[in-house]
Amino acid sequence: MMEIIAAVLWACFAAYALWYFTKAKHYAPLTPDEAKVLWKIHKQNAGCSSTRWRKILHGGKIVGFECECGYKHIQKRLITINTPTPTIQTKTMAIYEKLHKP
């Protein structure tokens, strides 16, 4: 009996792990400019004649938009994907790279 329970628990754990790494998503924040550009792309692709859009907020951050026509776009990212870290280049780094080019 214990072998069956252990096998079922391992199968449930494997199924949960598969779902977690392939399907589980979280909201990815957008800047107001990104939301506006996505709305303009929607208008072009769909031939939408709406003139206004509304921000969709989650946790105080913009995660999407809703058009007057009823179209909704919500930006989601897989849980296992980290947010990209911005590369910041200082003036001294740029000078160093220019001097030490091969």
Side-chain angles (χ1 to χ4, degrees), residues 35-102:
K36 190 172 185 176
V37 167
L38 288 170
W39 175 67
K40 286 182 180 181
I41 291 171
H42 154 70
K43 283 183 60 165
Q44 283 182 338
N45 290 344
C48 177
S49 60
S50 299
T51 58
R52 296 169 61 193
W53 60 283
R54 182 182 68 82
K55 300 174 196 172
I56 298 176
L57 300 173
H58 186 269
K61 295 182 180 180
I62 300 172
V63 294
F65 69 90
E66 181 177 11
C67 187
E68 281 182 330
C69 69
Y71 175 79
K72 286 184 182 179
H73 174 82
I74 297 176
Q75 190 79 18
K76 289 190 174 183
R77 179 180 298 133
L78 288 173
I79 287 178
T80 55
I81 297 176
N82 295 330
T83 56
T85 55
T87 306
I88 300 172
Q89 186 173 22
T90 61
K91 290 181 182 180
T92 55
M93 287 174 64
I95 293 169
Y96 179 80
E97 288 174 0
K98 285 182 182 179
L99 293 175
H100 291 90
K101 261 189 182 175

Side-chain angles (χ1 to χ4, degrees), residues 5-23:
I5 293 174
V8 169
L9 287 176
W10 275 108
C12 290
F13 174 72
Y16 175 76
L18 179 68
W19 170 82
Y20 182 82
F21 288 112
T22 60
K23 299 290 182 187

